[in-house]
Amino acid sequence: MARRSRQSLYQSILIALKDKNLEQLTEILEKPLAEGISKEFKRSIKTLKYHLSSIENSFLFPYNNGRIYKCQLIHVHKRSLN
């Protein structure tokens, strides 16, 4: 697969996520992957497919765990300073 088409696939996924377009994202993820895709990229696609229902929920609801993770990160950071 040419670099340009890998980049195109990546950009298509990013656009679908940014636009919160579940139908487009599902269509992209369900297409068979062409030869030349790296093992890491295939793993990322598989992970997105696995978490598709969670991604859908994130599109539908305005809630996230950002504040919780930020507090945990600060707590871990303070602990590492001691």
Coordinates of all heavy atoms in Angstrom, one line a residue:
M1 N 0.9 -1.2 0.0 CA 0.0 0.0 0.0 C 0.9 1.2 0.0 O 1.8 1.3 0.8 CB -0.9 0.0 1.2 CG -1.8 1.1 1.4 SD -2.8 0.9 2.8 CE -4.4 1.3 2.1
A2 N 0.6 2.1 -0.8 CA 1.4 3.4 -0.9 C 1.2 4.2 0.3 O 0.2 4.2 1.0 CB 1.0 4.1 -2.2
R3 N 2.2 5.0 0.6 CA 2.2 5.8 1.8 C 1.0 6.8 1.7 O 0.4 7.1 2.7 CB 3.5 6.6 1.9 CG 3.5 7.5 3.1 CD 4.8 8.3 3.2 NE 4.6 9.1 4.4 CZ 5.4 10.1 4.7 NH1 6.3 10.4 3.9 NH2 5.2 10.8 5.8
R4 N 0.7 7.3 0.5 CA -0.4 8.2 0.4 C -1.7 7.6 0.8 O -2.5 8.2 1.4 CB -0.4 8.7 -1.1 CG -1.5 9.8 -1.3 CD -1.4 10.3 -2.8 NE -0.2 11.0 -3.0 CZ 0.0 12.3 -2.9 NH1 -1.1 13.0 -2.6 NH2 1.1 12.9 -3.2
S5 N -1.9 6.3 0.4 CA -3.2 5.7 0.8 C -3.3 5.4 2.3 O -4.3 5.4 2.9 CB -3.5 4.4 -0.1 OG -2.4 3.6 0.0
R6 N -2.1 5.0 2.9 CA -2.1 4.8 4.4 C -2.5 6.2 5.0 O -3.2 6.2 6.0 CB -0.7 4.3 4.8 CG -0.5 2.9 4.5 CD 0.8 2.4 5.2 NE 2.0 3.2 4.9 CZ 2.9 2.9 4.1 NH1 2.9 1.7 3.5 NH2 4.0 3.6 3.9
Q7 N -1.9 7.2 4.6 CA -2.1 8.6 5.1 C -3.6 8.9 4.9 O -4.2 9.5 5.8 CB -1.2 9.6 4.5 CG -1.4 11.0 5.0 CD -0.8 11.1 6.4 OE1 -0.1 10.3 6.9 NE2 -1.2 12.2 7.1
S8 N -4.2 8.6 3.8 CA -5.6 8.8 3.5 C -6.5 8.1 4.5 O -7.5 8.6 5.0 CB -5.9 8.4 2.1 OG -7.2 8.6 1.8
L9 N -6.2 6.8 4.7 CA -6.9 6.0 5.7 C -6.9 6.7 7.1 O -7.9 6.8 7.7 CB -6.4 4.6 5.7 CG -7.0 3.7 6.8 CD1 -8.5 3.5 6.5 CD2 -6.3 2.3 6.7
Y10 N -5.7 7.0 7.5 CA -5.5 7.7 8.8 C -6.3 9.0 8.9 O -7.0 9.2 9.9 CB -4.0 7.9 9.0 CG -3.7 8.7 10.3 CD1 -3.8 8.1 11.5 CD2 -3.3 10.0 10.2 CE1 -3.5 8.8 12.7 CE2 -3.0 10.7 11.4 CZ -3.1 10.1 12.6 OH -2.8 10.8 13.8
Q11 N -6.2 9.8 7.8 CA -7.0 11.1 7.8 C -8.5 10.8 7.8 O -9.2 11.6 8.5 CB -6.6 11.9 6.6 CG -5.2 12.5 6.7 CD -5.0 13.4 7.9 OE1 -5.8 14.2 8.2 NE2 -3.8 13.3 8.5
S12 N -8.9 9.8 7.1 CA -10.4 9.5 7.1 C -10.9 9.1 8.5 O -12.0 9.6 8.9 CB -10.6 8.3 6.2 OG -10.3 8.7 4.9
I13 N -10.1 8.4 9.2 CA -10.4 8.0 10.6 C -10.5 9.2 11.5 O -11.4 9.4 12.3 CB -9.5 6.9 11.2 CG1 -9.6 5.6 10.4 CG2 -9.7 6.7 12.7 CD1 -8.6 4.6 10.7
L14 N -9.5 10.1 11.4 CA -9.5 11.3 12.2 C -10.7 12.2 11.9 O -11.3 12.8 12.8 CB -8.2 12.1 11.9 CG -6.9 11.5 12.5 CD1 -5.7 12.4 12.2 CD2 -7.0 11.4 14.0
I15 N -11.0 12.4 10.6 CA -12.1 13.2 10.3 C -13.4 12.6 10.8 O -14.3 13.4 11.4 CB -12.2 13.4 8.7 CG1 -11.0 14.3 8.3 CG2 -13.5 14.0 8.3 CD1 -10.8 14.3 6.8
A16 N -13.6 11.3 10.7 CA -14.8 10.7 11.2 C -14.9 10.9 12.7 O -16.0 11.1 13.3 CB -14.9 9.2 10.9
L17 N -13.8 10.7 13.4 CA -13.8 11.0 14.9 C -14.1 12.4 15.2 O -14.9 12.7 16.1 CB -12.5 10.5 15.5 CG -12.2 9.0 15.5 CD1 -10.8 8.7 15.9 CD2 -13.2 8.3 16.4
K18 N -13.5 13.3 14.5 CA -13.7 14.8 14.8 C -15.1 15.2 14.5 O -15.7 15.9 15.3 CB -12.8 15.6 13.9 CG -12.9 17.1 14.1 CD -11.9 17.8 13.2 CE -12.1 19.3 13.3 NZ -12.8 19.8 12.1
D19 N -15.7 14.6 13.4 CA -17.1 15.0 13.1 C -18.1 14.2 13.9 O -19.4 14.3 13.7 CB -17.3 14.8 11.6 CG -16.5 15.7 10.8 OD1 -16.0 16.8 11.3 OD2 -16.3 15.5 9.5
K20 N -17.7 13.2 14.7 CA -18.5 12.3 15.4 C -19.5 11.6 14.5 O -20.7 11.5 14.8 CB -19.3 13.1 16.5 CG -18.4 13.7 17.6 CD -19.2 14.3 18.7 CE -18.2 14.9 19.7 NZ -18.9 15.3 20.9
N21 N -19.0 11.1 13.4 CA -19.8 10.4 12.4 C -19.5 8.9 12.5 O -18.6 8.3 12.0 CB -19.3 10.9 11.0 CG -20.3 10.4 9.9 OD1 -20.9 9.4 10.1 ND2 -20.3 11.1 8.8
L22 N -20.4 8.2 13.3 CA -20.3 6.8 13.6 C -20.4 6.0 12.3 O -19.7 5.0 12.1 CB -21.3 6.4 14.6 CG -21.1 4.9 15.1 CD1 -19.8 4.8 15.9 CD2 -22.3 4.5 16.0
E23 N -21.4 6.3 11.4 CA -21.6 5.6 10.2 C -20.3 5.6 9.3 O -19.9 4.5 8.8 CB -22.7 6.1 9.4 CG -24.1 5.9 10.1 CD -25.2 6.6 9.3 OE1 -25.0 6.9 8.1 OE2 -26.3 6.8 9.9
Q24 N -19.7 6.7 9.2 CA -18.5 6.8 8.4 C -17.4 6.1 9.0 O -16.6 5.3 8.4 CB -18.1 8.3 8.2 CG -16.9 8.5 7.4 CD -16.5 10.0 7.3 OE1 -17.1 10.8 8.0 NE2 -15.6 10.3 6.5
L25 N -17.2 6.2 10.4 CA -16.2 5.5 11.1 C -16.3 3.9 10.9 O -15.4 3.2 10.6 CB -16.1 5.9 12.5 CG -15.1 5.2 13.4 CD1 -13.7 5.6 12.9 CD2 -15.2 5.6 14.8
T26 N -17.6 3.5 11.1 CA -17.8 2.0 11.0 C -17.5 1.5 9.6 O -16.9 0.5 9.4 CB -19.3 1.7 11.3 OG1 -19.6 2.2 12.6 CG2 -19.6 0.3 11.3
E27 N -17.9 2.3 8.6 CA -17.6 2.0 7.2 C -16.1 1.8 6.9 O -15.6 0.9 6.3 CB -18.2 3.0 6.3 CG -18.1 2.7 4.8 CD -18.7 3.8 4.0 OE1 -19.8 4.2 4.2 OE2 -18.0 4.3 3.0
I28 N -15.4 2.8 7.5 CA -13.9 2.8 7.3 C -13.3 1.6 8.0 O -12.4 0.9 7.4 CB -13.3 4.1 7.8 CG1 -13.7 5.3 7.0 CG2 -11.8 4.0 7.9 CD1 -13.4 6.6 7.7
L29 N -13.7 1.3 9.2 CA -13.1 0.2 10.0 C -13.5 -1.2 9.4 O -12.8 -2.1 9.6 CB -13.6 0.3 11.4 CG -13.1 1.5 12.2 CD1 -13.6 1.5 13.6 CD2 -11.6 1.6 12.2
E30 N -14.7 -1.3 8.8 CA -15.1 -2.6 8.3 C -14.5 -2.9 6.9 O -14.6 -4.1 6.5 CB -16.6 -2.6 8.2 CG -17.3 -2.6 9.6 CD -16.9 -3.7 10.5 OE1 -16.7 -4.8 10.0 OE2 -16.7 -3.4 11.7
K31 N -14.0 -2.0 6.2 CA -13.3 -2.3 4.9 C -12.1 -3.1 5.1 O -11.4 -3.0 6.1 CB -12.9 -1.0 4.2 CG -14.0 -0.1 3.6 CD -13.4 1.1 2.9 CE -14.5 1.9 2.4 NZ -14.0 3.2 1.8
P32 N -11.9 -4.1 4.2 CA -10.7 -4.9 4.4 C -9.4 -4.1 4.2 O -9.4 -3.1 3.3 CB -10.8 -6.0 3.2 CG -12.0 -5.6 2.4 CD -12.7 -4.5 3.1
L33 N -8.4 -4.3 5.0 CA -7.2 -3.5 4.9 C -6.3 -4.1 3.8 O -6.2 -5.3 3.5 CB -6.4 -3.6 6.2 CG -7.1 -3.1 7.4 CD1 -6.3 -3.3 8.7 CD2 -7.3 -1.6 7.3
A34 N -5.7 -3.1 3.1 CA -4.9 -3.5 1.9 C -3.5 -4.0 2.5 O -3.2 -3.8 3.6 CB -4.7 -2.3 1.0
E35 N -2.8 -4.6 1.6 CA -1.4 -5.1 1.9 C -0.5 -3.9 2.2 O -0.7 -2.8 1.7 CB -0.8 -5.9 0.8 CG -1.6 -7.2 0.5 CD -1.5 -8.2 1.6 OE1 -0.4 -8.3 2.2 OE2 -2.5 -8.8 1.9
G36 N 0.4 -4.1 3.1 CA 1.4 -3.0 3.4 C 1.1 -2.2 4.6 O 1.8 -1.3 4.9
I37 N 0.0 -2.5 5.2 CA -0.4 -1.8 6.5 C 0.5 -2.5 7.6 O 0.6 -3.7 7.7 CB -1.9 -2.0 6.8 CG1 -2.7 -1.4 5.7 CG2 -2.2 -1.4 8.2 CD1 -3.2 0.0 6.0
S38 N 1.1 -1.6 8.4 CA 1.9 -2.1 9.5 C 1.1 -2.9 10.5 O -0.1 -2.7 10.7 CB 2.7 -1.0 10.1 OG 1.8 -0.2 10.8
K39 N 1.8 -3.7 11.3 CA 1.2 -4.5 12.3 C 0.6 -3.6 13.4 O -0.5 -3.8 13.9 CB 2.2 -5.5 12.9 CG 1.7 -6.4 13.9 CD 2.6 -7.5 14.3 CE 4.0 -7.1 14.7 NZ 4.9 -8.1 15.2
E40 N 1.3 -2.5 13.7 CA 0.9 -1.6 14.7 C -0.4 -0.9 14.3 O -1.4 -0.7 15.1 CB 1.9 -0.5 15.0 CG 3.2 -1.1 15.7 CD 4.1 -1.7 14.7 OE1 4.0 -1.6 13.5 OE2 5.1 -2.3 15.2
F41 N -0.5 -0.5 13.0 CA -1.7 0.2 12.5 C -2.9 -0.8 12.5 O -4.0 -0.4 12.8 CB -1.5 0.7 11.1 CG -2.5 1.8 10.6 CD1 -2.4 3.1 11.1 CD2 -3.5 1.4 9.8 CE1 -3.3 4.0 10.7 CE2 -4.4 2.4 9.4 CZ -4.3 3.7 9.9
K42 N -2.6 -2.1 12.1 CA -3.7 -3.1 12.1 C -4.2 -3.3 13.6 O -5.4 -3.4 13.8 CB -3.2 -4.4 11.6 CG -3.0 -4.4 10.1 CD -2.5 -5.8 9.6 CE -2.2 -5.8 8.2 NZ -1.7 -7.0 7.7
R43 N -3.3 -3.2 14.5 CA -3.7 -3.4 15.9 C -4.6 -2.2 16.3 O -5.5 -2.4 17.1 CB -2.5 -3.5 16.8 CG -2.8 -3.7 18.3 CD -1.6 -3.9 19.2 NE -0.7 -4.9 18.7 CZ 0.6 -4.6 18.6 NH1 1.2 -3.5 18.8 NH2 1.4 -5.6 18.2
S44 N -4.2 -1.0 15.9 CA -5.0 0.2 16.2 C -6.4 0.1 15.6 O -7.4 0.4 16.3 CB -4.3 1.4 15.6 OG -3.1 1.6 16.3
I45 N -6.5 -0.4 14.4 CA -7.8 -0.6 13.7 C -8.7 -1.6 14.5 O -9.8 -1.4 14.8 CB -7.7 -1.1 12.3 CG1 -7.0 0.0 11.4 CG2 -9.0 -1.5 11.7 CD1 -7.8 1.2 11.2
K46 N -8.0 -2.7 14.9 CA -8.7 -3.7 15.7 C -9.2 -3.2 17.0 O -10.3 -3.5 17.5 CB -7.7 -4.9 15.9 CG -8.3 -6.1 16.6 CD -7.3 -7.2 16.8 CE -7.9 -8.4 17.5 NZ -7.0 -9.5 17.7
T47 N -8.4 -2.3 17.7 CA -8.8 -1.7 19.0 C -10.0 -0.8 18.8 O -10.9 -0.8 19.6 CB -7.6 -1.0 19.6 OG1 -6.5 -1.9 19.7 CG2 -7.9 -0.4 20.9
L48 N -9.9 0.0 17.7 CA -11.1 0.9 17.4 C -12.3 0.1 17.2 O -13.4 0.4 17.7 CB -10.8 1.7 16.2 CG -9.8 2.9 16.5 CD1 -9.4 3.5 15.1 CD2 -10.4 3.9 17.4
K49 N -12.2 -1.0 16.5 CA -13.4 -1.9 16.2 C -13.9 -2.5 17.6 O -15.1 -2.5 17.8 CB -13.0 -3.1 15.3 CG -12.9 -2.7 13.9 CD -12.5 -4.0 13.1 CE -12.3 -3.7 11.7 NZ -11.9 -5.0 10.9
Y50 N -13.0 -2.9 18.4 CA -13.4 -3.5 19.7 C -14.1 -2.5 20.6 O -15.1 -2.8 21.3 CB -12.2 -4.0 20.4 CG -12.4 -4.6 21.7 CD1 -12.9 -5.9 21.8 CD2 -12.2 -3.9 22.9 CE1 -13.1 -6.5 23.1 CE2 -12.4 -4.5 24.2 CZ -12.9 -5.8 24.2 OH -13.2 -6.4 25.4
H51 N -13.7 -1.2 20.5 CA -14.3 -0.2 21.4 C -15.3 0.7 20.7 O -15.7 1.8 21.1 CB -13.2 0.7 21.9 CG -12.3 0.0 22.9 ND1 -12.7 -0.3 24.2 CD2 -11.0 -0.4 22.8 CE1 -11.7 -0.9 24.8 NE2 -10.7 -1.0 24.0
L52 N -15.9 0.2 19.6 CA -16.8 1.0 18.8 C -18.1 1.4 19.6 O -18.5 2.5 19.4 CB -17.2 0.2 17.5 CG -17.7 1.0 16.4 CD1 -16.8 2.1 16.0 CD2 -18.0 0.1 15.2
S53 N -18.6 0.5 20.4 CA -19.8 0.9 21.2 C -19.4 2.0 22.2 O -20.2 2.9 22.5 CB -20.3 -0.3 22.0 OG -19.4 -0.8 22.9
S54 N -18.2 2.0 22.8 CA -17.8 3.1 23.7 C -17.6 4.4 22.9 O -17.9 5.5 23.4 CB -16.5 2.7 24.4 OG -16.7 1.6 25.2
I55 N -17.0 4.3 21.7 CA -16.9 5.4 20.9 C -18.2 6.0 20.5 O -18.4 7.3 20.6 CB -16.1 5.1 19.6 CG1 -14.6 4.7 20.0 CG2 -16.1 6.2 18.6 CD1 -13.8 4.1 18.8
E56 N -19.2 5.2 20.2 CA -20.5 5.7 20.0 C -21.1 6.4 21.2 O -21.7 7.5 21.0 CB -21.5 4.5 19.6 CG -22.9 4.9 19.3 CD -23.8 3.8 19.0 OE1 -23.4 2.6 19.3 OE2 -24.9 4.0 18.6
N57 N -20.9 5.9 22.4 CA -21.4 6.6 23.6 C -20.7 7.9 23.7 O -21.3 8.9 24.1 CB -21.2 5.7 24.8 CG -22.2 4.6 24.9 OD1 -23.2 4.7 24.3 ND2 -21.8 3.6 25.6
S58 N -19.4 8.0 23.4 CA -18.7 9.3 23.5 C -19.2 10.3 22.5 O -19.2 11.5 22.8 CB -17.2 9.1 23.3 OG -16.9 8.9 22.0
F59 N -19.8 9.8 21.4 CA -20.4 10.7 20.4 C -21.7 11.2 20.9 O -22.1 12.4 20.6 CB -20.6 10.0 19.1 CG -19.3 9.7 18.3 CD1 -19.3 9.0 17.2 CD2 -18.1 10.2 18.7 CE1 -18.2 8.7 16.4 CE2 -16.9 10.0 18.0 CZ -17.0 9.2 16.8
L60 N -22.5 10.4 21.6 CA -23.8 10.7 22.0 C -23.9 11.5 23.3 O -24.8 12.4 23.4 CB -24.6 9.4 22.2 CG -24.8 8.5 21.0 CD1 -25.5 7.2 21.3 CD2 -25.6 9.3 19.9
F61 N -23.0 11.3 24.2 CA -23.1 12.0 25.5 C -21.9 12.9 25.7 O -20.8 12.6 25.3 CB -23.1 10.9 26.6 CG -24.2 9.9 26.5 CD1 -24.0 8.6 26.0 CD2 -25.6 10.3 26.7 CE1 -25.0 7.7 25.9 CE2 -26.6 9.4 26.5 CZ -26.3 8.1 26.1
P62 N -22.2 14.0 26.4 CA -21.1 15.0 26.6 C -20.2 14.8 27.8 O -19.4 15.6 28.1 CB -21.9 16.3 26.8 CG -23.2 15.9 27.5 CD -23.5 14.5 26.9
Y63 N -20.3 13.6 28.4 CA -19.5 13.3 29.6 C -18.2 12.6 29.2 O -18.1 11.8 28.2 CB -20.3 12.4 30.5 CG -21.7 12.9 30.8 CD1 -22.8 12.3 30.2 CD2 -21.9 14.0 31.5 CE1 -24.1 12.7 30.5 CE2 -23.2 14.5 31.8 CZ -24.2 13.9 31.2 OH -25.5 14.4 31.5
N64 N -17.2 12.8 30.0 CA -15.9 12.1 29.9 C -15.2 12.1 31.3 O -15.7 12.7 32.2 CB -15.0 12.7 28.8 CG -14.5 14.1 29.2 OD1 -14.1 14.4 30.3 ND2 -14.6 15.0 28.2
N65 N -14.2 11.3 31.3 CA -13.4 11.2 32.6 C -12.2 12.0 32.7 O -11.3 11.8 33.4 CB -13.0 9.7 32.8 CG -14.3 8.8 33.0 OD1 -15.2 9.3 33.6 ND2 -14.2 7.6 32.6
G66 N -12.2 13.1 31.9 CA -11.0 14.0 31.8 C -10.6 14.5 33.2 O -9.4 14.5 33.6
R67 N -11.5 15.0 34.0 CA -11.2 15.5 35.3 C -10.6 14.4 36.2 O -9.7 14.7 37.0 CB -12.4 16.2 35.9 CG -12.8 17.5 35.3 CD -13.9 18.1 36.0 NE -14.1 19.4 35.4 CZ -15.0 20.3 35.8 NH1 -15.7 20.0 36.9 NH2 -15.2 21.4 35.2
I68 N -11.2 13.3 36.2 CA -10.8 12.2 37.0 C -9.4 11.8 36.7 O -8.5 11.7 37.6 CB -11.7 10.9 36.9 CG1 -13.1 11.3 37.4 CG2 -11.1 9.7 37.6 CD1 -14.2 10.2 37.1
Y69 N -9.0 11.7 35.4 CA -7.7 11.3 35.0 C -6.7 12.4 35.3 O -5.6 12.1 35.7 CB -7.6 11.0 33.5 CG -8.4 9.7 33.1 CD1 -9.3 9.7 32.0 CD2 -8.3 8.6 33.8 CE1 -10.0 8.6 31.6 CE2 -9.0 7.4 33.5 CZ -9.8 7.5 32.4 OH -10.5 6.3 32.1
K70 N -7.1 13.6 35.2 CA -6.2 14.7 35.6 C -5.9 14.7 37.1 O -4.7 14.8 37.5 CB -6.9 16.0 35.2 CG -5.9 17.2 35.4 CD -6.6 18.5 35.0 CE -5.7 19.7 35.2 NZ -6.3 20.9 34.9
C71 N -6.9 14.4 37.9 CA -6.7 14.3 39.4 C -5.8 13.2 39.7 O -4.9 13.3 40.5 CB -8.0 14.2 40.1 SG -9.0 15.7 40.1
Q72 N -6.0 12.0 39.0 CA -5.1 10.9 39.3 C -3.7 11.1 38.9 O -2.8 10.7 39.6 CB -5.7 9.6 38.5 CG -7.0 9.1 39.1 CD -7.5 7.9 38.3 OE1 -7.2 7.8 37.1 NE2 -8.4 7.2 38.9
L73 N -3.5 11.8 37.7 CA -2.2 12.1 37.3 C -1.5 13.0 38.2 O -0.3 12.8 38.5 CB -2.3 12.8 35.9 CG -1.0 13.1 35.2 CD1 -0.1 11.9 35.0 CD2 -1.2 13.9 33.9
I74 N -2.2 14.0 38.8 CA -1.6 14.9 39.7 C -1.2 14.1 41.0 O -0.1 14.3 41.5 CB -2.5 16.1 40.1 CG1 -2.6 17.0 38.8 CG2 -2.0 16.9 41.3 CD1 -3.7 18.0 39.0
H75 N -2.1 13.3 41.4 CA -1.8 12.5 42.6 C -0.6 11.6 42.4 O 0.3 11.5 43.3 CB -3.0 11.6 43.0 CG -2.9 10.8 44.2 ND1 -2.8 11.3 45.5 CD2 -2.7 9.4 44.4 CE1 -2.7 10.4 46.4 NE2 -2.6 9.2 45.7
V76 N -0.5 10.9 41.3 CA 0.7 10.0 41.0 C 1.9 10.9 40.9 O 3.0 10.5 41.4 CB 0.4 9.2 39.7 CG1 1.7 8.5 39.2 CG2 -0.7 8.2 39.9
H77 N 1.8 12.0 40.3 CA 3.0 12.9 40.2 C 3.5 13.3 41.5 O 4.7 13.3 41.8 CB 2.7 14.1 39.3 CG 3.8 15.0 39.1 ND1 4.9 14.7 38.4 CD2 4.0 16.3 39.5 CE1 5.8 15.7 38.4 NE2 5.3 16.7 39.1
K78 N 2.6 13.7 42.4 CA 3.0 14.2 43.8 C 3.6 13.0 44.5 O 4.6 13.2 45.3 CB 1.8 14.7 44.5 CG 1.3 16.0 44.1 CD 0.1 16.5 45.0 CE -0.4 17.9 44.6 NZ -1.5 18.3 45.4
R79 N 3.1 11.8 44.4 CA 3.6 10.6 45.0 C 5.0 10.4 44.6 O 5.9 10.0 45.3 CB 2.7 9.4 44.8 CG 3.1 8.3 45.7 CD 2.3 7.0 45.5 NE 0.9 7.3 45.3 CZ 0.1 6.5 44.6 NH1 0.5 5.5 44.0 NH2 -1.2 6.8 44.4
S80 N 5.3 10.6 43.3 CA 6.6 10.3 42.7 C 7.6 11.3 43.2 O 8.8 11.0 43.1 CB 6.6 10.2 41.2 OG 6.3 11.5 40.7
L81 N 7.2 12.5 43.6 CA 8.1 13.5 44.1 C 8.6 13.2 45.5 O 9.7 13.7 45.9 CB 7.4 14.9 44.1 CG 7.1 15.4 42.7 CD1 6.3 16.7 42.9 CD2 8.3 15.6 41.9
N82 N 7.9 12.4 46.2 CA 8.3 12.0 47.6 C 9.4 11.0 47.7 O 9.7 10.2 46.9 CB 7.1 11.6 48.5 CG 6.2 12.8 48.7 OD1 6.6 13.9 48.7 ND2 4.9 12.5 48.8

